[in-house]
Amino acid sequence: MWDIFICHASEDKDDVARPIAEFLRNEGYAVWYDEFTLKLGDSIRKSIDYGIANSMYGLVIFSPHFFSKDWPQRELDGLLTKTDESGKIILPIWHNVDRGIIQKTVPTLAEKFAVSTKLGLDVVIKQILNVLRSGPSISQKSETNEPHLMRYDLGRVFRETKYPLNKSGITTIGKVNCDINIQDDDLVSEKHASLMLNVEGYSLQDENSATGVYFRIPKKQLMQVYTGNLVIVGSQFLLVSKDDEGYKFMHNDENGKMINCYPINEKVIIFGRVSPDITIDDFTISRRHMAVYAKNDELFVIDLDSANGTYIKFHGQIKIEHGSKFRIGRQLFELNLH
C-alpha cells in the first residue's frame, strides 16, 4: 500500500514530480513514483495498475505535456475509477495550465480545488501535506521502529533524512533509479552501493562506484586493513602499501599529491594532531586520533575515540550492524535497527 500515487508526464519530472516525490518520501510517506518503484524487468502496466489500486491518494500533475500523451491520461482514468464519495482521492496540481484548459480537457475536475505551481513548490507541497496529515496514512511517522538509514548531508547545508529499508532485503543507494536517490551530490554514482539483509545480518556493498564507499571504524575496535585500502583521518588520506621493508602509510592530500610516507612496524604508532608518534596538522583530526600496528604480517587500525572518526575505503562487501556509519560522496549514513 502507498499513501500517494504520482501521475505525471516525464517532461515534468525535473521541475515538479521528482522534487515532490523526494520530499514526501523523506517525510516518511509511502510514495508510488516510477523512479522509486519500478525495477528492471517489471511490467510497467501491471505495476502502475497495482500502484493505482493500492494508493490512498492520486496526485495528478496537469500540464501541456500531460495532455499531449496517452500514458498519463490512462493513469488518470484509473484514478477516476477509484474516486471515493468525498471526491478527495485525486489531488490536482496545475503546471503551466489554467482553469480554462482543465474545463476543456477534464471538465469533471475543473471545479475541484487545485494548486498551481505558479505559487511555488513550497506552497504546493504544503497543500499536499495538509491533505495527507488530515487523513489516515500507510506509513507516516509510524511508531514502530522499523530498520532504517539516517542520512546526514556533509555539504554546505546540513540536512538529516530518514529512509526505511526496503522490505525486499536489498536497499540500493545512488543518483537515479535506486531506493535512495541522491541527485544533488556529484560524487555519487548512478548506482553507488547496496545494503543487503541475509541470514548473518546486514552487509554493505560497493557497486563499483567511481568514488567509493567509506566505512567508519567502530571506536576502540581493532580492524584489519589491507594493501590498497584507503584510510581517512579527518580530511587526510592514508593509502596502505607494502614493500620488502614492510607496511607503509602513504599520506596524500585530497588531490592525490603525496605529503609523506610513514613506515609501520610492530610498535603501536599513534596518529593525531598532538601525538607522540606521527603528528598531522589538521583541525579535523583529534589530538590522539588512531593507532596502527603490524603483527604477523597483518596490519591493524584502532580508532581512539576520535571526534570525526576513522574511515576505510573497502572493496566488495563489508558486514555492518546497528549504529554502523558509512560515507558516500558528501553523505553520511547511519544504520538504525532499533
Side-chain angles (χ1 to χ4, degrees):
M1 293 288 288
W2 291 271
D3 291 310
I4 192 164
F5 179 98
I6 298 184
C7 175
H8 66 289
S10 59
E11 291 84 354
D12 299 322
K13 281 185 183 297
D14 292 343
D15 294 336
V16 187
R18 187 183 296 116
I20 292 175
E22 290 184 340
F23 184 93
L24 294 178
R25 186 171 70 167
N26 292 345
E27 285 291 303
Y29 289 100
V31 181
W32 198 106
Y33 176 63
D34 55 2
E35 291 182 349
F36 297 167
T37 311
L38 293 176
K39 299 293 187 295
L40 184 66
D42 283 351
S43 166
I44 297 177
R45 179 180 293 278
K46 288 182 180 179
S47 297
I48 290 175
D49 288 345
Y50 185 79
I52 291 172
N54 291 279
S55 297
M56 299 186 67
Y57 295 96
L59 182 74
V60 183
I61 301 171
F62 292 110
S63 72
H65 294 299
F66 180 94
F67 293 117
S68 69
K69 294 191 166 185
D70 291 334
W71 197 271
Q73 295 186 64
R74 291 177 187 173
E75 294 178 0
L76 175 60
D77 291 340
L79 288 169
L80 286 171
T81 63
K82 278 201 66 188
T83 303
D84 61 16
E85 293 180 357
S86 67
K88 287 179 64 176
I89 192 71
I90 292 180
L91 309 179
I93 306 298
W94 294 356
H95 182 55
N96 297 328
V97 295
D98 55 26
R99 188 176 300 278
I101 294 175
I102 300 298
Q103 286 176 331
K104 293 178 181 178
T105 51
V106 278
T108 56
L109 297 179
E111 299 306 316
K112 199 175 187 67
F113 180 76
V115 60
S116 173
T117 56
K118 289 182 179 179
L119 301 175
L121 276 186
D122 56 336
V123 175
V124 172
I125 290 172
K126 182 178 179 180
Q127 293 290 339
I128 296 169
L129 289 175
N130 286 341
V131 175
L132 294 178
R133 288 170 178 168
S134 65
S137 172
I138 301 300
S139 59
Q140 167 68 6
K141 306 301 181 184
S142 172
E143 296 299 322
T144 58
N145 294 320
E146 294 183 342
H148 62 273
L149 281 176
M150 291 300 300
R151 167 192 168 195
Y152 308 93
D153 191 330
L154 302 176
R156 295 179 180 177
V157 179
F158 180 81
R159 290 176 294 181
E160 178 180 318
T161 313
K162 178 179 178 181
Y163 297 98
L165 298 184
N166 198 326
K167 289 182 172 60
S168 70
I170 301 177
T171 301
T172 55
I173 305 171
K175 192 173 288 290
V176 292
N177 299 324
C178 292
D179 298 303
I180 300 175
N181 294 304
I182 307 167
Q183 297 183 331
D184 55 353
D185 189 334
D186 57 355
L187 298 178
V188 176
S189 297
E190 185 170 334
K191 184 180 180 183
H192 201 110
S194 296
L195 195 66
M196 296 173 288
L197 176 63
N198 51 49
V199 292
E200 297 180 353
Y202 281 93
S203 295
L204 178 65
Q205 178 166 304
D206 182 355
E207 299 288 355
N208 297 316
S209 62
T211 55
V213 181
Y214 295 83
F215 172 72
R216 181 167 180 168
I217 300 174
K219 295 180 179 181
K220 297 183 178 180
Q221 180 174 315
L222 194 67
M223 183 166 185
Q224 186 174 358
V225 294
Y226 303 90
T227 302
N229 281 157
L230 188 63
V231 178
I232 296 183
V233 180
S235 58
Q236 307 301 313
F237 295 81
L238 303 173
L239 179 66
V240 180
S241 65
K242 187 182 180 184
D243 57 22
D244 294 339
E245 297 179 356
Y247 284 105
K248 292 179 173 62
F249 268 3
M250 312 300 290
H251 182 187
N252 303 305
D253 63 18
E254 59 184 4
N255 296 316
K257 181 180 179 181
M258 193 170 82
I259 298 172
N260 212 329
C261 175
Y262 310 116
I264 308 297
N265 50 44
E266 293 193 4
K267 173 190 172 184
V268 175
I269 299 175
I270 296 176
F271 287 73
R273 186 163 40 86
V274 181
S275 167
D277 300 315
I278 296 177
T279 298
I280 300 177
D281 186 15
D282 182 340
F283 72 93
T284 63
I285 295 178
S286 296
R287 293 169 63 86
R288 296 194 175 196
H289 198 106
M290 75 168 183
V292 180
Y293 76 96
K295 184 177 181 180
N296 298 328
D297 204 33
E298 294 178 332
L299 185 64
F300 299 92
V301 171
I302 307 172
D303 181 85
L304 300 177
D305 200 16
S306 64
N308 293 319
T310 302
Y311 290 83
I312 177 173
K313 181 181 180 181
F314 65 92
H315 302 287
Q317 194 173 116
I318 191 169
K319 185 178 179 180
I320 60 175
E321 56 190 21
H322 174 72
S324 290
K325 296 180 180 180
F326 58 94
R327 285 170 56 173
I328 291 177
R330 299 182 183 88
Q331 319 302 313
L332 172 65
F333 290 89
E334 180 176 7
L335 178 63
N336 194 317
L337 301 179
H338 298 166

